[in-house]
Amino acid sequence: MFSAASKKPSENQAAILTQPRPGTMLIRQGIVVDHQQAQKADILIVDGKIADIAPEIHIIPKQCEIIEAAGLYVMPGGIDVHTHFNIDVGIARSCDDFFSGTRAAACGGTTTVVDHMGFGPKGCSLHHQLNVYQQYAKETAVIDYSFHGVIQHVNEDILAEMASMVEEEGISSFKLYLTYGYKLDDEEVLKALIQLKQVGALATVHPENDAAIALRRSQLLEQGKTAPKYHAVSRPLECEAEAIARMINLAKLAGDAPLYIVHLSNGLGLDYARLARDNHQPVWVETCPQYLMLDDSCYERQDALKFILSPPLRPATEREKLWLGLVDGSIDTVATDHCAFTYHEQKQRGKDNFSACPNGMPGVETRMPLMFSEGVMKGRLSPSRFVELTSYLPAKLFGLYPQKGALQAGSDADLVLFDPEQEVAIKHELLHDNADYTPFEDIQTQGWPVMTISRGDVVACNGEFTGKAGNGRFIRRKPFDASAL
């Protein structure tokens, strides 16, 4: 799968299982990393679960597959808590469904996704979209998955329905939008926050000031400023930061309701989150690789439409502010907001008017290698901090731990093996999604996932997908519990 021009092979690759088959598995003498420590160890997998971790395991069951992992990092499989597969945004449907999206995730070292469901019909119940998305995923997903509930209006029926979503369906987080067609006003947000706290759910929010964006967009269009670069001009970072501050204050008014900020792109919003946490408010923050790796100079490119997403890419000065947040613990998770549309067809809707371009970009396959290369291999993050950001804290926050995000006996055998010596130039031709581009084309990486194991099955090996549609299972998540964090 890797072309000679884009990949520098590593001696470690030869040690990887090339003909995976089901059964008991021993991963031998890898550098085993969890959120606390790294140590050379063996991992024994039996019936899809981790059975033992020890410096050396000598008693091995019959018919055991052995993977020689010397020189490789063995980590919990990635958990991406922000994807949009098969989402209909009104003007287009994303090109990745739950097969191609989870296939790409698996090949990039991710073993669980929590997908943000799209809006349903006007006035629909919370369960409506859950039922729709269960049908999308159950026969197609290749790795395990769950969903965030989506709140597109608030009334007494919706508020009453939240408890059953948490207790009966295992949906313990819900998305609130402050912009787009089903945006919530402050009264609706406050009512939702109060009830979500009561039923044991975490509120996640897309924070942008819709009124300010609408005014700036209309002014730009009236002035004939329709090029892709004006998408970013219409949604400055202050629109995002203001909405973050407003949500933090509404969450305080809701009795310190737990709050999770999705896809943070700027330092001012991070400062507001830091201030809230300094005041012991339960606020958590997510960012994405695009905000750590790219900047608004992309909007000057001929292919600028590829980079239209919301919030947009920011000035380069914001990137280091976010990296600092990763280092100092102010940012808790790195997800992707994977929402892929084809450049040569779907994105071209916006070539004469940025506001007509579907928002979003692919990234579910490149998250883990980019963060490993830019974080671990460049010395910004320890291997354990990498695990914390990409697996452990996502599992803790979203009710998956210790089934997911843990290396301990009884946890699901969801693992990724990284070869720190493997050099790869990212090319879309190497990836496994349904888009026709990657925003990270030609970025050089040091370190690459060479094997992904989902519940004891090898689903990706040396750049080749080896999984099967329908093998992914829906995971019922536990209620949110801030005291467990």
Side-chain angles (χ1 to χ4, degrees):
M1 189 66 187
F2 293 108
S3 67
S6 63
K7 170 179 173 287
K8 180 180 177 181
S10 163
E11 293 179 359
N12 292 327
Q13 183 177 350
I16 296 298
L17 178 68
T18 55
Q19 296 295 326
R21 55 185 185 269
T24 305
M25 182 183 295
L26 178 67
I27 302 172
R28 192 151 59 187
Q29 293 301 288
I31 306 166
V32 176
V33 184
D34 64 11
H35 68 287
Q36 293 178 313
Q37 62 182 346
Q39 59 183 335
K40 186 178 288 187
D42 293 350
I43 300 179
L44 180 65
I45 298 168
V46 178
D47 295 330
K49 300 284 187 179
I50 295 174
D52 193 14
I53 301 176
E56 287 188 74
I57 296 174
H58 299 289
I59 301 176
I60 305 171
K62 293 180 180 180
Q63 304 295 320
C64 184
E65 201 72 46
I66 296 177
I67 299 172
E68 299 293 347
L72 304 177
Y73 285 95
V74 183
M75 300 170 162
I79 300 173
D80 190 345
V81 294
H82 193 157
T83 61
H84 294 281
F85 297 148
N86 209 37
I87 188 172
D88 185 349
V89 297
I91 58 174
R93 182 179 290 275
S94 62
C95 61
D96 277 316
D97 58 17
F98 276 86
F99 173 68
S100 65
T102 56
R103 176 184 61 189
C107 291
T110 289
T111 52
T112 306
V113 297
V114 186
D115 194 81
H116 282 283
M117 300 186 292
F119 296 129
K122 184 177 181 179
C124 70
S125 69
L126 297 176
H127 281 79
H128 179 278
Q129 284 303 88
L130 177 60
N131 294 334
V132 168
Y133 271 70
Q134 291 281 25
Q135 293 301 311
Y136 287 162
K138 70 175 184 177
E139 300 295 334
T140 58
V142 306
I143 57 173
D144 291 350
Y145 59 93
S146 187
F147 307 109
H148 303 281
V150 58
I151 301 173
Q152 55 192 69
H153 67 284
V154 174
N155 57 29
E156 291 305 313
D157 290 339
I158 292 295
L159 294 172
E161 192 181 0
M162 290 175 180
S164 64
M165 287 284 284
V166 175
E167 297 164 7
E168 299 171 16
E169 307 293 349
I171 302 297
S172 55
S173 54
F174 293 78
K175 181 79 164 283
L176 292 73
Y177 289 86
L178 302 188
T179 189
Y180 302 137
Y182 286 106
K183 63 183 180 295
L184 303 182
D185 62 30
D186 289 352
E187 180 181 355
E188 291 174 312
V189 166
L190 188 55
K191 288 179 177 179
L193 289 170
I194 292 169
Q195 183 68 359
L196 290 174
K197 181 189 177 187
Q198 182 69 29
V199 301
L202 177 61
T204 77
V205 62
H206 176 125
E208 288 185 290
N209 186 305
D210 183 75
I213 292 169
L215 176 60
R216 292 175 68 90
R217 181 172 57 235
S218 64
Q219 290 173 335
L220 289 167
L221 295 177
E222 287 171 5
Q223 295 166 14
K225 296 178 177 179
T226 61
K229 67 180 180 180
Y230 293 108
H231 169 73
V233 176
S234 74
R235 310 176 92 99
L237 66 85
E238 291 81 6
C239 289
E240 181 185 3
E242 182 280 330
I244 289 171
R246 178 158 40 102
M247 281 299 305
I248 287 170
N249 285 314
L250 289 171
K252 171 61 81 172
L253 291 171
D256 276 344
L259 181 65
Y260 180 92
I261 308 296
V262 305
H263 52 44
L264 179 76
S265 72
N266 72 88
L268 179 58
L270 181 57
D271 286 341
Y272 288 138
R274 285 191 178 112
L275 180 61
R277 286 157 69 131
D278 287 346
N279 289 319
H280 308 292
Q281 196 171 339
V283 175
W284 293 271
V285 178
E286 163 197 295
T287 193
C288 308
Q290 54 267 33
Y291 304 120
L292 298 163
M293 300 290 299
L294 308 174
D295 59 60
D296 60 0
S297 65
C298 292
Y299 296 120
E300 300 298 332
R301 293 171 40 159
Q302 188 174 4
D303 59 354
L305 286 170
K306 293 178 179 178
F307 305 94
I308 288 186
L309 77 164
S310 297
L313 302 178
R314 302 302 187 190
T317 51
E318 301 303 313
R319 291 192 315 225
E320 286 309 311
K321 296 175 185 177
L322 297 178
W323 276 108
L324 181 58
L326 295 177
V327 172
D328 70 14
S330 302
I331 294 176
D332 304 281
T333 66
V334 177
T336 63
D337 194 13
H338 179 103
C339 188
F341 300 95
T342 58
Y343 170 65
H344 288 98
E345 292 186 16
Q346 292 172 305
K347 287 280 190 178
Q348 293 305 313
R349 290 179 55 95
K351 63 184 177 63
D352 298 319
N353 180 348
F354 69 85
S355 68
C357 183
N359 279 220
M361 61 171 58
V364 74
E365 188 167 353
T366 48
R367 174 186 70 128
M368 295 284 280
L370 282 172
M371 293 306 299
F372 187 87
S373 178
E374 294 294 315
V376 176
M377 297 307 295
K378 290 191 176 179
R380 288 169 162 140
L381 306 173
S382 70
S384 288
R385 178 62 174 150
F386 168 86
V387 168
E388 193 172 47
L389 289 163
T390 59
S391 183
Y392 171 74
L393 279 175
K396 293 281 282 188
L397 282 162
F398 291 98
L400 295 163
Y401 190 85
Q403 180 180 357
K404 307 289 186 183
L407 295 184
Q408 61 188 49
S411 296
D412 284 352
D414 290 354
L415 302 167
V416 58
L417 280 62
F418 265 92
D419 180 356
E421 300 300 321
Q422 193 168 115
E423 298 176 9
V424 176
I426 294 176
K427 303 280 188 182
H428 187 259
E429 66 191 44
L430 305 179
L431 305 180
H432 298 79
D433 57 47
N434 276 349
D436 55 1
Y437 78 100
T438 170
F440 307 107
E441 188 79 16
D442 292 327
I443 289 180
Q444 296 284 334
T445 63
Q446 177 72 45
W448 198 261
V450 291
M451 178 174 283
T452 307
I453 299 169
S454 172
R455 283 185 284 104
D457 290 333
V458 177
V459 292
C461 183
N462 292 330
E464 297 290 343
F465 173 63
T466 59
K468 182 180 177 182
N471 277 4
R473 297 177 182 171
F474 172 71
I475 305 298
R476 298 170 62 89
R477 296 183 286 120
K478 294 181 291 187
F480 179 78
D481 181 6
S483 67
L485 291 160

